Amino acid sequence: MALEIIESCVNCWACAPLCPNKAIYEAKPHFLIDADKCTECLGDFADAQCVAICPIEGAILNELGEELNPPGSLTGIPPERWAAVQAEIRAR
Amino acid sequence: MDLPVIESTPQKTGGCSAGSCGSTSDQMGGMSDEIRAKVQDHPCYSEDAHHYFARMHVAVAPACNIQCHYCNRKYDCANESRPGVVSEVLSPDQAVKKTLAVAATIPQMTVLGIAGPGDPLANPERTFETFRQLSVKAPDIKLCVSTNGLSLPDHVEELSRHNIDHVTITINCVDPDVGAKIYPWIFWQNKRIHGREAAEILIQRQQQGLEMLVAKGILVKVNSVLIPGVNDEHLKEVSKIVKAKGAFLHNVMPLIAEAEHGTFYGVMGQRSPNPAELKNLQDACEGDMNMMRHCRQCRADAVGLLGEDRGDEFTMDKIDAMEIDYEAAMKVRAEFRAKATADLEAKRAKAHAPKMPQAQVVQFVPRKEKSALVGRRVLMAVAAKGGLVAVHFGHANEFLVYEASADGAKFVGHRKAEQYCDGDVSCGDGESVLDKTIKALEGCEVVLCSKIGYEPWGNLEAAGIQPNGEHAMEPIEDAVMAVWHEMLAAGKLDAKPSANKVA
């Protein structure tokens, strides 16, 4: 079992120092998780540390490819509101 | 939580009563001599120093341990200028190299700050590695740090070991119910914590950090973001409390919220305060606290004098190509600093001189009660450079706002403007940009500039703002007071208060 960082990562460095397994490493274009080292923090912390500090919704996935911080969960912006405002900006 | 409010006590000052200095150094009116000496060459803490001294921020601290509703962690843009935005995150080694290069090119450089783009103390290794190297390689540069406060108590000891005598804490509230509307979550003790509980922890840590810094003799400035309908009234209480605990300066900044910034407040339609609301709140807090009014809300990688950004000259590839004699550069800085300090002191002495007719005027006098003299207060916008009325109206990208009264000219803030006359590029848009500028000057009755074109003159007059180009190259305060006295003599300053004022 292992988590995965995907391209929406903004390279903010917050997760890397927290990883108990040193599984997270700097890479281009974004940080990555070494699947062989990642334990999802089982036995170390109640919550996966990278997931608990990551500020970007959708940037970390579980083994099933599910977003662990889904849209709206971190910013508090309802996804439909986000979509409506983006459409409005594009129409300007 | 128990947050005691102590009645603010009058501070002994160097001879002028708080708020009555009448010069642009007015903001320092309530400071002790010791604090004044510490901040006199810091552009962010001393209003008149910012004409002489420059600062830079190095973006070594990208990680953050909290989320604020006015911040979007995704953004990284060269064309935007606001806190939290940077173009290039640096390693500590790169940051040190950049600082030394800038300090060798801009002798005005006195201060290196780490302000993000995340929280410096959520990146302690990167932040302190930068400070440690700079303390050795550029001991003449002051170091400062700006934090949300969550990790602050853990790092006060280390902060006190470096060449850091100023810390800024962003404190937007002291009430968790208010905090819950500003901070959706914090990362605390290996967990993400949401809502009121998160705000409660954050507030407790901020207040504890403030107390610990003050106990160590480190100067603390408090930044607050004014969010209409969320913490506007509440900030008066914040100001009282942080002053009582020993913060020396309070900087209330207007919320910046646009939908395209992608922040919670921007997307949800939270409005920003208008200039009059900001000024009214700053005025209301001023009886208790030294208020900072010249903050330009700069980027987390800003370089140069406040209000300018020379970051483009110092990208890492350009720095790599520079040849720098560090020893010589430090000598040049020392010489520049000696001259600038002498100039500033002369200017400050001149500004204070006529204000001290009697030898002992040390008691604290609230500003509002003082001006029983004839002539109401008038806001004037000034297109200024280097303390002079020196900028063409159409070339100004900001206006300094002064409040003129029988007490003198008092700097109260600044307004951003787009340059409507920008050569041939944006001329097609000239008119609408002019309209925006006129809107930005709302509440001002006069605009002073070195020159102004025929068309904007007419539009300004039509909007009730009198353009004035007769004081070109004069010191700002002299020009503002000359215009105020002309208005007084012409009978334009009878009791009628101007429309934008509350008090």
Side-chain angles (χ1 to χ4, degrees), chain A residues 10-14 17-18 45-47 49-56 69 73-78 81-82 85-86 89 92, chain B residues 62-65 67 69 72-75 89 123 125-126 184-187 190-192 194 259-260 262-264 266-269:
Chain A
V10 296
N11 296 300
C12 82
W13 288 82
L18 296 174
F45 298 103
D47 303 325
Q49 294 297 285
C50 55
V51 177
I53 200 166
C54 181
I56 305 299
N69 292 309
S73 65
L74 301 184
T75 60
I77 303 171
R81 172 78 186 177
W82 177 264
V85 168
Q86 294 312 308
I89 291 170
R92 277 181 202 167
Chain B
C64 199
N65 47 11
Q67 176 70 51
H69 274 329
N72 175 358
R73 304 304 318 286
K74 281 184 200 160
Y75 276 33
V89 170
N123 302 254
E125 294 83 10
R126 299 170 65 91
W185 57 263
I186 66 170
F187 180 80
N190 303 102
K191 280 185 170 5
R192 198 189 311 261
H194 298 261
E260 48 270 46
T263 60
F264 175 88
V267 171
M268 301 305 281

Short mmCIF file of all heavy atoms in Angstrom, two decimals, chain A residues 10-14 17-18 45-47 49-56 69 73-78 81-82 85-86 89 92, chain B residues 62-65 67 69 72-75 89 123 125-126 184-187 190-192 194 259-260 262-264 266-269:
data_model
loop_
_atom_site.label_atom_id
_atom_site.label_comp_id
_atom_site.label_asym_id
_atom_site.label_seq_id
_atom_site.Cartn_x
_atom_site.Cartn_y
_atom_site.Cartn_z
N VAL A 10 2.17 21.51 -5.88
CA VAL A 10 2.80 22.82 -6.14
C VAL A 10 4.21 22.91 -5.56
O VAL A 10 4.80 23.98 -5.49
CB VAL A 10 1.94 23.99 -5.62
CG1 VAL A 10 0.61 24.07 -6.34
CG2 VAL A 10 1.71 23.88 -4.10
N ASN A 11 4.77 21.78 -5.15
CA ASN A 11 6.15 21.75 -4.67
C ASN A 11 6.38 22.65 -3.46
O ASN A 11 7.34 23.41 -3.41
CB ASN A 11 7.11 22.14 -5.80
CG ASN A 11 7.07 21.14 -6.93
OD1 ASN A 11 7.35 19.95 -6.74
ND2 ASN A 11 6.69 21.59 -8.11
N CYS A 12 5.50 22.57 -2.49
CA CYS A 12 5.62 23.49 -1.34
C CYS A 12 6.48 22.91 -0.23
O CYS A 12 6.71 23.59 0.77
CB CYS A 12 4.24 23.88 -0.81
SG CYS A 12 3.53 22.65 0.32
N TRP A 13 6.94 21.70 -0.36
CA TRP A 13 7.87 21.10 0.61
C TRP A 13 7.21 20.73 1.94
O TRP A 13 7.89 20.23 2.83
CB TRP A 13 9.03 22.07 0.94
CG TRP A 13 10.02 22.25 -0.15
CD1 TRP A 13 9.89 23.09 -1.21
CD2 TRP A 13 11.29 21.60 -0.29
NE1 TRP A 13 11.00 23.00 -2.00
CE2 TRP A 13 11.87 22.10 -1.46
CE3 TRP A 13 11.97 20.64 0.47
CZ2 TRP A 13 13.12 21.68 -1.91
CZ3 TRP A 13 13.21 20.23 0.04
CH2 TRP A 13 13.78 20.75 -1.16
N ALA A 14 5.95 21.00 2.13
CA ALA A 14 5.37 20.79 3.46
C ALA A 14 5.42 19.32 3.86
O ALA A 14 5.70 18.99 5.01
CB ALA A 14 3.93 21.31 3.50
N PRO A 17 9.35 16.74 4.97
CA PRO A 17 9.99 16.53 6.27
C PRO A 17 9.13 15.74 7.26
O PRO A 17 9.65 15.24 8.26
CB PRO A 17 10.20 17.96 6.81
CG PRO A 17 9.82 18.90 5.73
CD PRO A 17 9.03 18.15 4.71
N LEU A 18 7.83 15.60 6.98
CA LEU A 18 6.94 14.91 7.92
C LEU A 18 6.93 13.41 7.74
O LEU A 18 6.51 12.67 8.64
CB LEU A 18 5.51 15.43 7.75
CG LEU A 18 5.25 16.90 8.06
CD1 LEU A 18 3.81 17.25 7.69
CD2 LEU A 18 5.50 17.20 9.52
N PHE A 45 1.48 7.22 12.70
CA PHE A 45 0.52 8.29 12.99
C PHE A 45 -0.89 7.84 12.63
O PHE A 45 -1.07 6.99 11.76
CB PHE A 45 0.86 9.55 12.17
CG PHE A 45 2.20 10.13 12.49
CD1 PHE A 45 3.29 9.93 11.63
CD2 PHE A 45 2.40 10.86 13.65
CE1 PHE A 45 4.53 10.46 11.92
CE2 PHE A 45 3.65 11.39 13.95
CZ PHE A 45 4.72 11.19 13.09
N ALA A 46 -1.84 8.46 13.28
CA ALA A 46 -3.24 8.13 13.00
C ALA A 46 -3.62 8.54 11.57
O ALA A 46 -4.41 7.86 10.90
CB ALA A 46 -4.14 8.84 14.00
N ASP A 47 -3.06 9.67 11.12
CA ASP A 47 -3.36 10.15 9.77
C ASP A 47 -2.08 10.16 8.93
O ASP A 47 -1.01 10.47 9.45
CB ASP A 47 -3.90 11.59 9.81
CG ASP A 47 -5.14 11.72 10.71
OD1 ASP A 47 -5.93 10.77 10.74
OD2 ASP A 47 -5.27 12.77 11.37
N GLN A 49 0.64 11.65 7.09
CA GLN A 49 1.10 13.01 7.34
C GLN A 49 1.08 13.90 6.09
O GLN A 49 0.75 15.08 6.18
CB GLN A 49 2.52 12.97 7.94
CG GLN A 49 2.53 12.34 9.32
CD GLN A 49 1.72 13.16 10.31
OE1 GLN A 49 2.16 14.20 10.76
NE2 GLN A 49 0.51 12.71 10.64
N CYS A 50 1.44 13.32 4.97
CA CYS A 50 1.43 14.14 3.75
C CYS A 50 0.01 14.59 3.41
O CYS A 50 -0.22 15.74 3.01
CB CYS A 50 2.07 13.40 2.58
SG CYS A 50 1.35 11.79 2.22
N VAL A 51 -0.93 13.71 3.64
CA VAL A 51 -2.34 14.03 3.36
C VAL A 51 -2.85 15.09 4.35
O VAL A 51 -3.62 15.97 3.99
CB VAL A 51 -3.22 12.76 3.44
CG1 VAL A 51 -4.69 13.10 3.22
CG2 VAL A 51 -2.75 11.71 2.44
N ALA A 52 -2.35 15.00 5.57
CA ALA A 52 -2.84 15.90 6.62
C ALA A 52 -2.32 17.32 6.48
O ALA A 52 -2.93 18.25 7.00
CB ALA A 52 -2.48 15.35 8.00
N ILE A 53 -1.21 17.51 5.79
CA ILE A 53 -0.69 18.89 5.66
C ILE A 53 -0.83 19.43 4.24
O ILE A 53 -0.78 20.64 4.03
CB ILE A 53 0.78 19.01 6.13
CG1 ILE A 53 1.10 20.49 6.44
CG2 ILE A 53 1.75 18.43 5.10
CD1 ILE A 53 2.37 20.72 7.21
N CYS A 54 -1.00 18.57 3.25
CA CYS A 54 -1.05 19.04 1.86
C CYS A 54 -2.14 20.12 1.69
O CYS A 54 -3.28 19.90 2.06
CB CYS A 54 -1.34 17.89 0.91
SG CYS A 54 -1.36 18.43 -0.82
N PRO A 55 -1.78 21.29 1.11
CA PRO A 55 -2.78 22.35 0.96
C PRO A 55 -3.58 22.26 -0.34
O PRO A 55 -4.49 23.06 -0.55
CB PRO A 55 -1.92 23.62 0.95
CG PRO A 55 -0.63 23.19 0.32
CD PRO A 55 -0.43 21.75 0.73
N ILE A 56 -3.22 21.30 -1.20
CA ILE A 56 -3.84 21.26 -2.54
C ILE A 56 -4.82 20.10 -2.64
O ILE A 56 -4.43 18.93 -2.55
CB ILE A 56 -2.75 21.12 -3.64
CG1 ILE A 56 -1.71 22.25 -3.50
CG2 ILE A 56 -3.39 21.11 -5.03
CD1 ILE A 56 -2.28 23.66 -3.67
N ASN A 69 -7.90 14.39 -0.38
CA ASN A 69 -8.44 15.70 0.00
C ASN A 69 -9.32 16.16 -1.17
O ASN A 69 -8.86 16.87 -2.06
CB ASN A 69 -7.32 16.72 0.25
CG ASN A 69 -6.51 16.39 1.50
OD1 ASN A 69 -7.07 16.19 2.57
ND2 ASN A 69 -5.19 16.35 1.36
N SER A 73 -12.72 20.35 0.25
CA SER A 73 -12.45 19.90 1.62
C SER A 73 -11.42 20.77 2.34
O SER A 73 -11.40 20.83 3.57
CB SER A 73 -11.98 18.44 1.62
OG SER A 73 -10.74 18.32 0.95
N LEU A 74 -10.55 21.42 1.58
CA LEU A 74 -9.49 22.22 2.22
C LEU A 74 -9.76 23.72 2.14
O LEU A 74 -9.50 24.46 3.08
CB LEU A 74 -8.13 21.91 1.58
CG LEU A 74 -7.68 20.46 1.65
CD1 LEU A 74 -6.29 20.31 1.07
CD2 LEU A 74 -7.72 19.94 3.08
N THR A 75 -10.25 24.17 1.01
CA THR A 75 -10.47 25.61 0.85
C THR A 75 -11.82 26.03 1.41
O THR A 75 -12.02 27.20 1.72
CB THR A 75 -10.45 26.01 -0.63
OG1 THR A 75 -11.51 25.29 -1.30
CG2 THR A 75 -9.13 25.69 -1.28
N GLY A 76 -12.74 25.07 1.49
CA GLY A 76 -14.10 25.43 1.90
C GLY A 76 -14.93 26.01 0.77
O GLY A 76 -16.08 26.40 0.97
N ILE A 77 -14.35 26.06 -0.44
CA ILE A 77 -15.11 26.59 -1.58
C ILE A 77 -15.93 25.45 -2.17
O ILE A 77 -15.36 24.45 -2.64
CB ILE A 77 -14.17 27.16 -2.67
CG1 ILE A 77 -13.26 28.24 -2.08
CG2 ILE A 77 -14.96 27.68 -3.86
CD1 ILE A 77 -12.16 28.71 -3.03
N PRO A 78 -17.27 25.54 -2.21
CA PRO A 78 -18.06 24.46 -2.81
C PRO A 78 -17.68 24.30 -4.29
O PRO A 78 -17.55 25.31 -4.99
CB PRO A 78 -19.51 24.97 -2.69
CG PRO A 78 -19.47 26.01 -1.61
CD PRO A 78 -18.11 26.62 -1.68
N ARG A 81 -19.58 26.25 -6.83
CA ARG A 81 -19.29 27.69 -6.80
C ARG A 81 -17.99 27.96 -7.57
O ARG A 81 -17.89 28.91 -8.34
CB ARG A 81 -19.14 28.14 -5.34
CG ARG A 81 -18.65 29.56 -5.16
CD ARG A 81 -19.76 30.57 -5.40
NE ARG A 81 -19.24 31.94 -5.36
CZ ARG A 81 -19.96 33.02 -5.58
NH1 ARG A 81 -21.24 32.89 -5.88
NH2 ARG A 81 -19.42 34.20 -5.52
N TRP A 82 -16.99 27.13 -7.32
CA TRP A 82 -15.71 27.27 -8.02
C TRP A 82 -15.93 27.22 -9.53
O TRP A 82 -15.43 28.07 -10.27
CB TRP A 82 -14.74 26.16 -7.57
CG TRP A 82 -13.44 26.20 -8.31
CD1 TRP A 82 -13.09 25.48 -9.41
CD2 TRP A 82 -12.32 27.05 -8.02
NE1 TRP A 82 -11.83 25.81 -9.83
CE2 TRP A 82 -11.33 26.77 -9.00
CE3 TRP A 82 -12.06 28.02 -7.04
CZ2 TRP A 82 -10.09 27.43 -9.01
CZ3 TRP A 82 -10.81 28.66 -7.07
CH2 TRP A 82 -9.85 28.37 -8.04
N VAL A 85 -17.68 30.37 -10.88
CA VAL A 85 -16.83 31.56 -10.91
C VAL A 85 -15.79 31.45 -12.03
O VAL A 85 -15.51 32.42 -12.73
CB VAL A 85 -16.17 31.79 -9.53
CG1 VAL A 85 -15.07 32.83 -9.60
CG2 VAL A 85 -17.23 32.20 -8.51
N GLN A 86 -15.25 30.23 -12.22
CA GLN A 86 -14.27 30.06 -13.30
C GLN A 86 -14.92 30.34 -14.66
O GLN A 86 -14.33 30.96 -15.53
CB GLN A 86 -13.66 28.65 -13.27
CG GLN A 86 -12.82 28.35 -12.05
CD GLN A 86 -11.81 29.44 -11.72
OE1 GLN A 86 -11.03 29.85 -12.57
NE2 GLN A 86 -11.86 29.96 -10.50
N ILE A 89 -15.27 34.02 -15.14
CA ILE A 89 -13.99 34.68 -15.45
C ILE A 89 -13.64 34.45 -16.93
O ILE A 89 -13.22 35.37 -17.62
CB ILE A 89 -12.86 34.16 -14.52
CG1 ILE A 89 -13.12 34.65 -13.10
CG2 ILE A 89 -11.50 34.62 -15.01
CD1 ILE A 89 -12.22 34.01 -12.04
N ARG A 92 -15.38 36.73 -19.46
CA ARG A 92 -15.14 38.18 -19.42
C ARG A 92 -14.50 38.69 -20.71
O ARG A 92 -13.68 38.03 -21.29
CB ARG A 92 -14.20 38.54 -18.27
CG ARG A 92 -14.92 38.66 -16.97
CD ARG A 92 -13.94 39.03 -15.88
NE ARG A 92 -14.44 38.66 -14.57
CZ ARG A 92 -13.70 38.64 -13.47
NH1 ARG A 92 -12.43 38.95 -13.53
NH2 ARG A 92 -14.22 38.30 -12.31
N PRO B 62 8.40 27.75 1.42
CA PRO B 62 7.16 27.50 0.70
C PRO B 62 6.09 26.76 1.52
O PRO B 62 4.91 26.88 1.24
CB PRO B 62 7.60 26.65 -0.49
CG PRO B 62 8.82 25.94 0.00
CD PRO B 62 9.50 26.89 0.94
N ALA B 63 6.49 26.02 2.53
CA ALA B 63 5.50 25.21 3.25
C ALA B 63 4.70 26.06 4.21
O ALA B 63 5.20 27.04 4.75
CB ALA B 63 6.21 24.10 4.04
N CYS B 64 3.45 25.66 4.43
CA CYS B 64 2.66 26.37 5.42
C CYS B 64 1.94 25.35 6.30
O CYS B 64 1.67 24.23 5.88
CB CYS B 64 1.65 27.31 4.77
SG CYS B 64 1.06 28.56 5.95
N ASN B 65 1.65 25.78 7.52
CA ASN B 65 1.00 24.88 8.47
C ASN B 65 -0.44 25.30 8.76
O ASN B 65 -1.08 24.74 9.64
CB ASN B 65 1.81 24.78 9.76
CG ASN B 65 2.24 26.15 10.27
OD1 ASN B 65 1.76 27.17 9.78
ND2 ASN B 65 3.13 26.17 11.23
N GLN B 67 -4.18 27.23 6.75
CA GLN B 67 -4.79 27.79 5.55
C GLN B 67 -5.56 29.04 5.97
O GLN B 67 -6.31 29.02 6.95
CB GLN B 67 -5.75 26.79 4.91
CG GLN B 67 -6.52 27.32 3.70
CD GLN B 67 -5.64 27.55 2.48
OE1 GLN B 67 -4.90 26.67 2.08
NE2 GLN B 67 -5.68 28.74 1.92
N HIS B 69 -8.18 32.10 4.53
CA HIS B 69 -9.15 32.28 3.45
C HIS B 69 -8.76 33.35 2.43
O HIS B 69 -9.39 33.47 1.40
CB HIS B 69 -10.53 32.61 4.04
CG HIS B 69 -11.34 31.40 4.40
ND1 HIS B 69 -11.25 30.20 3.72
CD2 HIS B 69 -12.27 31.20 5.36
CE1 HIS B 69 -12.09 29.33 4.25
NE2 HIS B 69 -12.71 29.90 5.26
N ASN B 72 -4.20 31.69 -1.58
CA ASN B 72 -4.35 30.54 -2.46
C ASN B 72 -2.97 29.93 -2.66
O ASN B 72 -2.09 30.56 -3.24
CB ASN B 72 -4.93 30.99 -3.80
CG ASN B 72 -5.00 29.84 -4.80
OD1 ASN B 72 -4.59 28.72 -4.51
ND2 ASN B 72 -5.51 30.13 -5.98
N ARG B 73 -2.81 28.71 -2.18
CA ARG B 73 -1.47 28.09 -2.22
C ARG B 73 -1.04 27.67 -3.60
O ARG B 73 0.07 27.21 -3.80
CB ARG B 73 -1.42 26.90 -1.26
CG ARG B 73 -1.77 27.20 0.19
CD ARG B 73 -0.91 28.32 0.78
NE ARG B 73 0.50 28.22 0.41
CZ ARG B 73 1.35 27.33 0.90
NH1 ARG B 73 1.00 26.49 1.80
NH2 ARG B 73 2.61 27.30 0.50
N LYS B 74 -1.92 27.80 -4.59
CA LYS B 74 -1.56 27.37 -5.94
C LYS B 74 -0.83 28.45 -6.72
O LYS B 74 -0.21 28.17 -7.72
CB LYS B 74 -2.82 26.99 -6.72
CG LYS B 74 -3.34 25.62 -6.37
CD LYS B 74 -4.51 25.28 -7.26
CE LYS B 74 -5.35 24.19 -6.63
NZ LYS B 74 -6.70 24.13 -7.16
N TYR B 75 -0.96 29.70 -6.30
CA TYR B 75 -0.56 30.76 -7.19
C TYR B 75 0.89 31.15 -7.11
O TYR B 75 1.51 31.19 -6.08
CB TYR B 75 -1.49 31.97 -7.06
CG TYR B 75 -2.71 31.80 -7.90
CD1 TYR B 75 -3.24 30.52 -8.10
CD2 TYR B 75 -3.34 32.86 -8.51
CE1 TYR B 75 -4.36 30.34 -8.87
CE2 TYR B 75 -4.47 32.67 -9.28
CZ TYR B 75 -4.98 31.41 -9.45
OH TYR B 75 -6.08 31.23 -10.21
N VAL B 89 10.96 29.70 -5.91
CA VAL B 89 11.33 29.34 -4.54
C VAL B 89 12.82 29.03 -4.52
O VAL B 89 13.34 28.38 -5.42
CB VAL B 89 10.52 28.12 -4.04
CG1 VAL B 89 11.08 27.59 -2.74
CG2 VAL B 89 9.06 28.51 -3.86
N ASN B 123 8.97 26.11 8.02
CA ASN B 123 10.14 25.65 7.26
C ASN B 123 11.39 25.99 8.07
O ASN B 123 12.28 26.69 7.60
CB ASN B 123 10.25 26.39 5.92
CG ASN B 123 9.05 26.24 5.03
OD1 ASN B 123 9.08 25.53 4.05
ND2 ASN B 123 7.96 26.95 5.36
N GLU B 125 14.15 24.59 9.10
CA GLU B 125 15.52 24.29 8.66
C GLU B 125 15.93 25.28 7.57
O GLU B 125 17.03 25.83 7.59
CB GLU B 125 15.64 22.86 8.12
CG GLU B 125 15.44 21.78 9.16
CD GLU B 125 13.95 21.46 9.41
OE1 GLU B 125 13.10 21.95 8.63
OE2 GLU B 125 13.66 20.75 10.40
N ARG B 126 15.04 25.50 6.60
CA ARG B 126 15.38 26.37 5.47
C ARG B 126 15.52 27.82 5.94
O ARG B 126 16.43 28.53 5.51
CB ARG B 126 14.31 26.25 4.38
CG ARG B 126 14.18 24.83 3.82
CD ARG B 126 12.95 24.69 2.95
NE ARG B 126 13.02 25.50 1.75
CZ ARG B 126 13.51 25.10 0.59
NH1 ARG B 126 13.98 23.86 0.48
NH2 ARG B 126 13.54 25.90 -0.43
N PRO B 184 -9.70 28.00 7.75
CA PRO B 184 -10.44 26.74 7.67
C PRO B 184 -9.75 25.57 8.37
O PRO B 184 -10.42 24.68 8.86
CB PRO B 184 -10.54 26.48 6.16
CG PRO B 184 -9.44 27.27 5.55
CD PRO B 184 -9.22 28.46 6.44
N TRP B 185 -8.40 25.59 8.41
CA TRP B 185 -7.72 24.50 9.11
C TRP B 185 -6.30 24.88 9.50
O TRP B 185 -5.73 25.83 8.94
CB TRP B 185 -7.67 23.21 8.27
CG TRP B 185 -7.04 23.33 6.90
CD1 TRP B 185 -7.68 23.53 5.73
CD2 TRP B 185 -5.62 23.24 6.58
NE1 TRP B 185 -6.78 23.58 4.69
CE2 TRP B 185 -5.51 23.40 5.18
CE3 TRP B 185 -4.46 23.03 7.31
CZ2 TRP B 185 -4.28 23.36 4.50
CZ3 TRP B 185 -3.23 23.00 6.65
CH2 TRP B 185 -3.16 23.16 5.26
N ILE B 186 -5.77 24.12 10.45
CA ILE B 186 -4.34 24.21 10.78
C ILE B 186 -3.80 22.79 10.83
O ILE B 186 -4.55 21.83 11.00
CB ILE B 186 -4.09 24.91 12.13
CG1 ILE B 186 -4.64 24.07 13.30
CG2 ILE B 186 -4.73 26.31 12.16
CD1 ILE B 186 -4.22 24.57 14.69
N PHE B 187 -2.48 22.66 10.68
CA PHE B 187 -1.83 21.37 10.88
C PHE B 187 -1.12 21.45 12.23
O PHE B 187 -0.23 22.28 12.43
CB PHE B 187 -0.81 21.10 9.76
CG PHE B 187 -0.10 19.79 9.92
CD1 PHE B 187 -0.71 18.59 9.55
CD2 PHE B 187 1.19 19.73 10.45
CE1 PHE B 187 -0.05 17.37 9.70
CE2 PHE B 187 1.85 18.51 10.61
CZ PHE B 187 1.23 17.33 10.23
N ASN B 190 0.59 16.71 14.24
CA ASN B 190 0.42 15.60 13.30
C ASN B 190 -1.00 15.36 12.83
O ASN B 190 -1.33 14.28 12.32
CB ASN B 190 1.03 14.30 13.85
CG ASN B 190 2.50 14.47 14.18
OD1 ASN B 190 2.89 14.64 15.33
ND2 ASN B 190 3.31 14.48 13.14
N LYS B 191 -1.85 16.38 13.00
CA LYS B 191 -3.23 16.24 12.53
C LYS B 191 -3.68 17.52 11.84
O LYS B 191 -3.25 18.61 12.21
CB LYS B 191 -4.17 16.02 13.71
CG LYS B 191 -4.23 14.61 14.26
CD LYS B 191 -5.31 14.57 15.34
CE LYS B 191 -5.69 13.21 15.84
NZ LYS B 191 -5.02 12.03 15.41
N ARG B 192 -4.60 17.37 10.88
CA ARG B 192 -5.25 18.55 10.34
C ARG B 192 -6.48 18.83 11.20
O ARG B 192 -7.33 17.96 11.37
CB ARG B 192 -5.67 18.34 8.88
CG ARG B 192 -5.93 19.68 8.20
CD ARG B 192 -6.56 19.57 6.82
NE ARG B 192 -5.95 18.68 5.88
CZ ARG B 192 -5.11 19.04 4.90
NH1 ARG B 192 -4.74 20.28 4.76
NH2 ARG B 192 -4.65 18.13 4.07
N HIS B 194 -9.75 21.39 12.03
CA HIS B 194 -10.62 22.34 11.32
C HIS B 194 -11.37 23.25 12.29
O HIS B 194 -11.49 22.96 13.48
CB HIS B 194 -11.65 21.57 10.48
CG HIS B 194 -11.04 20.71 9.42
ND1 HIS B 194 -10.95 21.11 8.10
CD2 HIS B 194 -10.48 19.48 9.47
CE1 HIS B 194 -10.36 20.16 7.39
NE2 HIS B 194 -10.06 19.15 8.20
N ALA B 259 -11.85 37.38 -7.52
CA ALA B 259 -12.23 36.02 -7.92
C ALA B 259 -11.08 35.32 -8.63
O ALA B 259 -10.82 34.13 -8.41
CB ALA B 259 -13.47 36.08 -8.82
N GLU B 260 -10.35 36.04 -9.48
CA GLU B 260 -9.29 35.40 -10.26
C GLU B 260 -8.09 34.98 -9.42
O GLU B 260 -7.24 34.24 -9.89
CB GLU B 260 -8.86 36.26 -11.45
CG GLU B 260 -8.58 37.71 -11.15
CD GLU B 260 -9.83 38.58 -11.30
OE1 GLU B 260 -10.90 38.16 -10.80
OE2 GLU B 260 -9.73 39.65 -11.91
N GLY B 262 -8.45 33.12 -6.91
CA GLY B 262 -8.77 31.75 -6.53
C GLY B 262 -8.77 31.52 -5.02
O GLY B 262 -8.75 30.38 -4.57
N THR B 263 -8.81 32.58 -4.24
CA THR B 263 -8.88 32.42 -2.78
C THR B 263 -10.33 32.20 -2.37
O THR B 263 -11.25 32.53 -3.12
CB THR B 263 -8.38 33.69 -2.07
OG1 THR B 263 -9.20 34.80 -2.47
CG2 THR B 263 -6.94 33.98 -2.43
N PHE B 264 -10.54 31.68 -1.17
CA PHE B 264 -11.90 31.48 -0.66
C PHE B 264 -12.65 32.81 -0.70
O PHE B 264 -13.76 32.89 -1.24
CB PHE B 264 -11.85 30.95 0.78
CG PHE B 264 -13.20 30.83 1.44
CD1 PHE B 264 -13.97 29.68 1.31
CD2 PHE B 264 -13.71 31.89 2.20
CE1 PHE B 264 -15.22 29.58 1.92
CE2 PHE B 264 -14.96 31.79 2.80
CZ PHE B 264 -15.72 30.64 2.67
N GLY B 266 -12.02 35.51 -2.39
CA GLY B 266 -12.18 36.01 -3.75
C GLY B 266 -13.33 35.30 -4.46
O GLY B 266 -14.20 35.94 -5.07
N VAL B 267 -13.34 33.98 -4.36
CA VAL B 267 -14.34 33.19 -5.07
C VAL B 267 -15.73 33.34 -4.44
O VAL B 267 -16.75 33.37 -5.14
CB VAL B 267 -13.92 31.70 -5.11
CG1 VAL B 267 -15.03 30.81 -5.65
CG2 VAL B 267 -12.66 31.54 -5.96
N MET B 268 -15.76 33.48 -3.14
CA MET B 268 -17.06 33.56 -2.46
C MET B 268 -17.64 34.97 -2.47
O MET B 268 -18.74 35.21 -1.97
CB MET B 268 -16.94 33.07 -1.01
CG MET B 268 -16.45 31.63 -0.87
SD MET B 268 -17.43 30.42 -1.78
CE MET B 268 -18.84 30.23 -0.68
N GLY B 269 -16.88 35.92 -3.02
CA GLY B 269 -17.43 37.27 -3.17
C GLY B 269 -17.28 38.16 -1.95
O GLY B 269 -17.95 39.19 -1.84
#
